[in-house]
Amino acid sequence: MTDPVVAVVGGGISGLVAAYRLRGALGPDARIVVLERSPRLGGKLHTVDLANGPVDVGAEAFIARRPEVPALLDELGLSDQIVHPSGARPLLYAGGRLRPLPAGTLMGIPADARSVEGLVDDETLQRISDEPGVPLNWDRAGDMSVAALVGSRFGEQVVRRSVDPLLGGVYSGLSDTAGVRATVPALAAALDAGATSLTAAVAAALPAPSHTPVFGTLRDGYGVLLAALERAAAPEIHLETTAGGLRRSNGRWSLDPVGEVDGVVLAVPATEVAALLAEAVPTAADLAAEIPLASSVVVALALPGGSALPQNSGILVATGEELAAKAFTLSSRKWPHLAQRDVALARASFGRYGDDALLSASDEQLVTLARADLAAVTGVEDEPVASYVQRWHGGLPQYRSGHNDVVGALDAAVAEVDGLEIAGAMLHGVGVPACVASGTTAAARLAARMAG
């Protein structure tokens, strides 16, 4: 029997993890080919040198309470790279001023009116207090947007000033394009279990208090993980290469420009999955096409070391404020290892689903805009000693109402086809742990099918 040949389309974290797991399952003689259309590996993980040190300009953290990333780092001998935040709290910019981010909320949804005192008006506070007495209609077989649910129970101010900033930070969208079941699953579970009000559901879904750090990152940036995965997977890598012509005949797949392969993992955004499967698996292609993508921009700034940034981890921006930025990460305040640098590091984020006009702005314009918005919010007007602009075209899938149903049908359609798997942020989570899990699952399924 000839050595197996597998193509992994997409060299982001999901694809690299899939290649790494396939190497472990198929052995050293398997030919594993990674096709990546951009000039580098890593996808939405990208570490750059800024002011003589590494800075992440894509995802900058992972949920530390999930096991996938720490376990992977341990396997690769990188456990000593894990660092945790300083404990500084984030701020919220709403109504033209800075406020503490509401505590005791679930993705910005309050469990009681006290959480959002000072953020919303008295009428809204009274509405939240009265909500447990208002009959609740929740369809256990259905779904709805977070905005529709929270707005109908607590009012528009809670949606725009508390929920949107948190959901926007995760998905680059608004709560209007976020389905309850996919983006706040604990809340959906509490409602399914019979909670009689949104207040009761949030209270039931809030995680138990814990002293364990919620987030972690890598001291030297995600580039360290990407390099280790590349070494361990030892794949044949083709950068700036677009895959196409995916078809199946005589029990094997054919993919341009690789040729015949025994298996394929598609670890690319939903639009590319749809295009690749249009002829081979049209049902799956149509389902993938239902998952829209949001684009965004990150502007990383290295300010003089004495810059008077607030002693907070970041600033989220409420919907409707007169700013272009949707959030700021005060990296030197958030991460102790970055606080040791001789510059003050900050990131400004721009763009949401349906609003990607700023992607066409020049680097100079975006840096100017980031500085202006940072000054408006914090008063810091210092000239950066260095900056970096990263555009993320189609960077994040939108988990709209019904997303889980779409993904379930997509999984079922792919399961009927031998030698094909899909991985990535379009499926079961946009965070790094979810992508690691997705790549691992895809590789395990494909290896099992090939062995059978």
mmCIF file of all heavy atoms in Angstrom, residues 271-307:
data_model
loop_
_atom_site.group_PDB
_atom_site.id
_atom_site.type_symbol
_atom_site.label_atom_id
_atom_site.label_comp_id
_atom_site.label_asym_id
_atom_site.label_seq_id
_atom_site.Cartn_x
_atom_site.Cartn_y
_atom_site.Cartn_z
ATOM 1 N N THR A 271 -16.879 31.272 3.140
ATOM 2 C CA THR A 271 -17.024 31.590 1.725
ATOM 3 C C THR A 271 -16.135 30.708 0.854
ATOM 4 O O THR A 271 -16.529 30.298 -0.244
ATOM 5 C CB THR A 271 -16.685 33.062 1.467
ATOM 6 O OG1 THR A 271 -15.405 33.363 2.059
ATOM 7 C CG2 THR A 271 -17.736 33.979 2.072
ATOM 8 N N GLU A 272 -14.932 30.403 1.335
ATOM 9 C CA GLU A 272 -14.020 29.550 0.574
ATOM 10 C C GLU A 272 -14.464 28.089 0.609
ATOM 11 O O GLU A 272 -14.326 27.364 -0.376
ATOM 12 C CB GLU A 272 -12.599 29.691 1.113
ATOM 13 C CG GLU A 272 -12.014 31.079 0.899
ATOM 14 C CD GLU A 272 -10.629 31.215 1.517
ATOM 15 O OE1 GLU A 272 -9.762 30.378 1.226
ATOM 16 O OE2 GLU A 272 -10.437 32.163 2.301
ATOM 17 N N VAL A 273 -15.001 27.658 1.755
ATOM 18 C CA VAL A 273 -15.563 26.306 1.827
ATOM 19 C C VAL A 273 -16.684 26.165 0.805
ATOM 20 O O VAL A 273 -16.764 25.167 0.071
ATOM 21 C CB VAL A 273 -16.077 26.007 3.250
ATOM 22 C CG1 VAL A 273 -16.879 24.701 3.263
ATOM 23 C CG2 VAL A 273 -14.913 25.913 4.229
ATOM 24 N N ALA A 274 -17.550 27.159 0.737
ATOM 25 C CA ALA A 274 -18.673 27.122 -0.202
ATOM 26 C C ALA A 274 -18.185 27.030 -1.643
ATOM 27 O O ALA A 274 -18.716 26.253 -2.447
ATOM 28 C CB ALA A 274 -19.554 28.352 -0.014
ATOM 29 N N ALA A 275 -17.156 27.810 -1.981
ATOM 30 C CA ALA A 275 -16.639 27.782 -3.345
ATOM 31 C C ALA A 275 -15.990 26.442 -3.677
ATOM 32 O O ALA A 275 -16.176 25.897 -4.773
ATOM 33 C CB ALA A 275 -15.634 28.920 -3.533
ATOM 34 N N LEU A 276 -15.237 25.885 -2.740
ATOM 35 C CA LEU A 276 -14.536 24.618 -2.989
ATOM 36 C C LEU A 276 -15.498 23.446 -3.125
ATOM 37 O O LEU A 276 -15.248 22.508 -3.884
ATOM 38 C CB LEU A 276 -13.542 24.348 -1.862
ATOM 39 C CG LEU A 276 -12.253 25.177 -1.904
ATOM 40 C CD1 LEU A 276 -11.546 25.146 -0.553
ATOM 41 C CD2 LEU A 276 -11.320 24.645 -3.003
ATOM 42 N N LEU A 277 -16.612 23.495 -2.390
ATOM 43 C CA LEU A 277 -17.548 22.361 -2.394
ATOM 44 C C LEU A 277 -18.701 22.531 -3.377
ATOM 45 O O LEU A 277 -19.571 21.656 -3.459
ATOM 46 C CB LEU A 277 -18.127 22.172 -0.985
ATOM 47 C CG LEU A 277 -17.140 21.730 0.106
ATOM 48 C CD1 LEU A 277 -17.872 21.563 1.433
ATOM 49 C CD2 LEU A 277 -16.442 20.428 -0.283
ATOM 50 N N ALA A 278 -18.718 23.633 -4.127
ATOM 51 C CA ALA A 278 -19.858 23.937 -4.992
ATOM 52 C C ALA A 278 -20.207 22.797 -5.942
ATOM 53 O O ALA A 278 -21.393 22.509 -6.161
ATOM 54 C CB ALA A 278 -19.588 25.218 -5.774
ATOM 55 N N GLU A 279 -19.219 22.125 -6.498
ATOM 56 C CA GLU A 279 -19.483 21.031 -7.437
ATOM 57 C C GLU A 279 -19.462 19.679 -6.749
ATOM 58 O O GLU A 279 -20.302 18.820 -7.033
ATOM 59 C CB GLU A 279 -18.450 21.047 -8.565
ATOM 60 C CG GLU A 279 -18.580 22.245 -9.493
ATOM 61 C CD GLU A 279 -17.627 22.142 -10.681
ATOM 62 O OE1 GLU A 279 -17.166 21.034 -11.006
ATOM 63 O OE2 GLU A 279 -17.347 23.201 -11.285
ATOM 64 N N ALA A 280 -18.534 19.486 -5.800
ATOM 65 C CA ALA A 280 -18.363 18.160 -5.192
ATOM 66 C C ALA A 280 -19.464 17.831 -4.194
ATOM 67 O O ALA A 280 -19.983 16.707 -4.174
ATOM 68 C CB ALA A 280 -16.996 18.067 -4.521
ATOM 69 N N VAL A 281 -19.820 18.789 -3.337
ATOM 70 C CA VAL A 281 -20.853 18.558 -2.313
ATOM 71 C C VAL A 281 -21.733 19.813 -2.244
ATOM 72 O O VAL A 281 -21.635 20.610 -1.307
ATOM 73 C CB VAL A 281 -20.224 18.259 -0.926
ATOM 74 C CG1 VAL A 281 -21.277 17.686 0.019
ATOM 75 C CG2 VAL A 281 -19.029 17.330 -1.023
ATOM 76 N N PRO A 282 -22.608 20.012 -3.224
ATOM 77 C CA PRO A 282 -23.360 21.268 -3.303
ATOM 78 C C PRO A 282 -24.243 21.545 -2.086
ATOM 79 O O PRO A 282 -24.426 22.703 -1.714
ATOM 80 C CB PRO A 282 -24.197 21.097 -4.579
ATOM 81 C CG PRO A 282 -24.170 19.635 -4.902
ATOM 82 C CD PRO A 282 -22.879 19.122 -4.369
ATOM 83 N N THR A 283 -24.781 20.497 -1.444
ATOM 84 C CA THR A 283 -25.596 20.717 -0.250
ATOM 85 C C THR A 283 -24.779 21.379 0.851
ATOM 86 O O THR A 283 -25.215 22.342 1.492
ATOM 87 C CB THR A 283 -26.170 19.385 0.265
ATOM 88 O OG1 THR A 283 -26.949 18.782 -0.760
ATOM 89 C CG2 THR A 283 -27.031 19.604 1.494
ATOM 90 N N ALA A 284 -23.570 20.855 1.077
ATOM 91 C CA ALA A 284 -22.685 21.443 2.084
ATOM 92 C C ALA A 284 -22.251 22.841 1.677
ATOM 93 O O ALA A 284 -22.147 23.744 2.523
ATOM 94 C CB ALA A 284 -21.466 20.546 2.291
ATOM 95 N N ALA A 285 -22.020 23.052 0.386
ATOM 96 C CA ALA A 285 -21.614 24.370 -0.092
ATOM 97 C C ALA A 285 -22.690 25.406 0.187
ATOM 98 O O ALA A 285 -22.401 26.527 0.648
ATOM 99 C CB ALA A 285 -21.316 24.315 -1.588
ATOM 100 N N ASP A 286 -23.943 25.048 -0.055
ATOM 101 C CA ASP A 286 -25.037 25.985 0.184
ATOM 102 C C ASP A 286 -25.155 26.343 1.660
ATOM 103 O O ASP A 286 -25.443 27.491 2.017
ATOM 104 C CB ASP A 286 -26.355 25.370 -0.302
ATOM 105 C CG ASP A 286 -26.429 25.267 -1.822
ATOM 106 O OD1 ASP A 286 -25.624 25.923 -2.503
ATOM 107 O OD2 ASP A 286 -27.288 24.510 -2.317
ATOM 108 N N LEU A 287 -24.933 25.364 2.527
ATOM 109 C CA LEU A 287 -25.001 25.622 3.965
ATOM 110 C C LEU A 287 -23.859 26.526 4.417
ATOM 111 O O LEU A 287 -24.067 27.468 5.192
ATOM 112 C CB LEU A 287 -24.972 24.304 4.733
ATOM 113 C CG LEU A 287 -26.250 23.458 4.607
ATOM 114 C CD1 LEU A 287 -25.979 22.007 4.998
ATOM 115 C CD2 LEU A 287 -27.366 24.054 5.474
ATOM 116 N N ALA A 288 -22.650 26.258 3.941
ATOM 117 C CA ALA A 288 -21.509 27.107 4.303
ATOM 118 C C ALA A 288 -21.727 28.545 3.849
ATOM 119 O O ALA A 288 -21.329 29.500 4.538
ATOM 120 C CB ALA A 288 -20.227 26.547 3.694
ATOM 121 N N ALA A 289 -22.386 28.709 2.702
ATOM 122 C CA ALA A 289 -22.632 30.051 2.169
ATOM 123 C C ALA A 289 -23.588 30.856 3.040
ATOM 124 O O ALA A 289 -23.687 32.079 2.889
ATOM 125 C CB ALA A 289 -23.176 29.947 0.748
ATOM 126 N N GLU A 290 -24.288 30.195 3.962
ATOM 127 C CA GLU A 290 -25.215 30.888 4.848
ATOM 128 C C GLU A 290 -24.517 31.559 6.031
ATOM 129 O O GLU A 290 -25.159 32.262 6.814
ATOM 130 C CB GLU A 290 -26.272 29.916 5.376
ATOM 131 C CG GLU A 290 -27.238 29.391 4.329
ATOM 132 C CD GLU A 290 -28.333 28.552 4.951
ATOM 133 O OE1 GLU A 290 -28.730 28.844 6.101
ATOM 134 O OE2 GLU A 290 -28.781 27.589 4.296
ATOM 135 N N ILE A 291 -23.226 31.320 6.194
ATOM 136 C CA ILE A 291 -22.494 31.869 7.342
ATOM 137 C C ILE A 291 -21.729 33.115 6.874
ATOM 138 O O ILE A 291 -20.719 33.001 6.177
ATOM 139 C CB ILE A 291 -21.522 30.833 7.926
ATOM 140 C CG1 ILE A 291 -22.289 29.567 8.329
ATOM 141 C CG2 ILE A 291 -20.778 31.414 9.124
ATOM 142 C CD1 ILE A 291 -21.407 28.407 8.749
ATOM 143 N N PRO A 292 -22.187 34.307 7.233
ATOM 144 C CA PRO A 292 -21.522 35.533 6.760
ATOM 145 C C PRO A 292 -20.252 35.827 7.552
ATOM 146 O O PRO A 292 -20.032 35.290 8.640
ATOM 147 C CB PRO A 292 -22.577 36.613 6.997
ATOM 148 C CG PRO A 292 -23.373 36.103 8.157
ATOM 149 C CD PRO A 292 -23.371 34.602 8.055
ATOM 150 N N LEU A 293 -19.434 36.702 6.985
ATOM 151 C CA LEU A 293 -18.152 37.055 7.596
ATOM 152 C C LEU A 293 -18.074 38.554 7.858
ATOM 153 O O LEU A 293 -18.580 39.359 7.079
ATOM 154 C CB LEU A 293 -16.991 36.650 6.679
ATOM 155 C CG LEU A 293 -16.905 35.172 6.294
ATOM 156 C CD1 LEU A 293 -15.794 34.957 5.276
ATOM 157 C CD2 LEU A 293 -16.679 34.310 7.519
ATOM 158 N N ALA A 294 -17.416 38.910 8.948
ATOM 159 C CA ALA A 294 -17.160 40.315 9.282
ATOM 160 C C ALA A 294 -15.688 40.622 9.061
ATOM 161 O O ALA A 294 -14.824 39.768 9.256
ATOM 162 C CB ALA A 294 -17.531 40.590 10.733
ATOM 163 N N SER A 295 -15.414 41.843 8.647
ATOM 164 C CA SER A 295 -14.039 42.299 8.466
ATOM 165 C C SER A 295 -13.699 43.345 9.523
ATOM 166 O O SER A 295 -14.585 44.017 10.054
ATOM 167 C CB SER A 295 -13.850 42.887 7.063
ATOM 168 O OG SER A 295 -14.079 41.908 6.064
ATOM 169 N N SER A 296 -12.416 43.470 9.817
ATOM 170 C CA SER A 296 -12.011 44.409 10.860
ATOM 171 C C SER A 296 -10.576 44.846 10.634
ATOM 172 O O SER A 296 -9.873 44.330 9.760
ATOM 173 C CB SER A 296 -12.158 43.769 12.247
ATOM 174 O OG SER A 296 -11.349 42.613 12.349
ATOM 175 N N VAL A 297 -10.144 45.796 11.444
ATOM 176 C CA VAL A 297 -8.774 46.316 11.399
ATOM 177 C C VAL A 297 -8.251 46.430 12.824
ATOM 178 O O VAL A 297 -8.979 46.852 13.725
ATOM 179 C CB VAL A 297 -8.709 47.716 10.742
ATOM 180 C CG1 VAL A 297 -7.268 48.233 10.726
ATOM 181 C CG2 VAL A 297 -9.273 47.685 9.329
ATOM 182 N N VAL A 298 -6.994 46.036 13.023
ATOM 183 C CA VAL A 298 -6.306 46.263 14.290
ATOM 184 C C VAL A 298 -5.151 47.224 14.036
ATOM 185 O O VAL A 298 -4.349 47.003 13.119
ATOM 186 C CB VAL A 298 -5.765 44.950 14.895
ATOM 187 C CG1 VAL A 298 -4.867 45.233 16.097
ATOM 188 C CG2 VAL A 298 -6.917 44.039 15.312
ATOM 189 N N VAL A 299 -5.073 48.276 14.816
ATOM 190 C CA VAL A 299 -3.949 49.212 14.755
ATOM 191 C C VAL A 299 -3.195 49.107 16.074
ATOM 192 O O VAL A 299 -3.734 49.433 17.136
ATOM 193 C CB VAL A 299 -4.424 50.662 14.527
ATOM 194 C CG1 VAL A 299 -3.216 51.610 14.518
ATOM 195 C CG2 VAL A 299 -5.191 50.776 13.221
ATOM 196 N N ALA A 300 -1.975 48.597 16.001
ATOM 197 C CA ALA A 300 -1.134 48.468 17.197
ATOM 198 C C ALA A 300 -0.228 49.688 17.304
ATOM 199 O O ALA A 300 0.420 50.077 16.321
ATOM 200 C CB ALA A 300 -0.306 47.191 17.120
ATOM 201 N N LEU A 301 -0.196 50.276 18.483
ATOM 202 C CA LEU A 301 0.606 51.476 18.723
ATOM 203 C C LEU A 301 1.624 51.215 19.825
ATOM 204 O O LEU A 301 1.284 50.657 20.870
ATOM 205 C CB LEU A 301 -0.299 52.633 19.158
ATOM 206 C CG LEU A 301 -1.432 53.051 18.210
ATOM 207 C CD1 LEU A 301 -2.312 54.099 18.890
ATOM 208 C CD2 LEU A 301 -0.858 53.597 16.904
ATOM 209 N N ALA A 302 2.854 51.631 19.582
ATOM 210 C CA ALA A 302 3.879 51.645 20.624
ATOM 211 C C ALA A 302 4.113 53.103 21.005
ATOM 212 O O ALA A 302 4.647 53.885 20.214
ATOM 213 C CB ALA A 302 5.167 51.005 20.118
ATOM 214 N N LEU A 303 3.653 53.459 22.192
ATOM 215 C CA LEU A 303 3.752 54.836 22.678
ATOM 216 C C LEU A 303 4.960 54.979 23.596
ATOM 217 O O LEU A 303 5.499 53.980 24.092
ATOM 218 C CB LEU A 303 2.474 55.204 23.433
ATOM 219 C CG LEU A 303 1.170 55.063 22.632
ATOM 220 C CD1 LEU A 303 -0.029 55.166 23.569
ATOM 221 C CD2 LEU A 303 1.085 56.115 21.546
ATOM 222 N N PRO A 304 5.409 56.196 23.849
ATOM 223 C CA PRO A 304 6.518 56.374 24.796
ATOM 224 C C PRO A 304 6.194 55.738 26.140
ATOM 225 O O PRO A 304 5.035 55.718 26.581
ATOM 226 C CB PRO A 304 6.621 57.901 24.914
ATOM 227 C CG PRO A 304 6.055 58.426 23.631
ATOM 228 C CD PRO A 304 4.965 57.474 23.250
ATOM 229 N N GLY A 305 7.212 55.232 26.801
ATOM 230 C CA GLY A 305 7.011 54.472 28.030
ATOM 231 C C GLY A 305 6.277 55.216 29.120
ATOM 232 O O GLY A 305 5.597 54.621 29.935
ATOM 233 N N GLY A 306 6.369 56.519 29.142
ATOM 234 C CA GLY A 306 5.720 57.299 30.189
ATOM 235 C C GLY A 306 4.299 57.702 29.877
ATOM 236 O O GLY A 306 3.686 58.467 30.637
ATOM 237 N N SER A 307 3.733 57.191 28.785
ATOM 238 C CA SER A 307 2.376 57.582 28.398
ATOM 239 C C SER A 307 1.376 57.249 29.509
ATOM 240 O O SER A 307 1.425 56.161 30.091
ATOM 241 C CB SER A 307 1.966 56.872 27.111
ATOM 242 O OG SER A 307 2.752 57.321 26.023
#
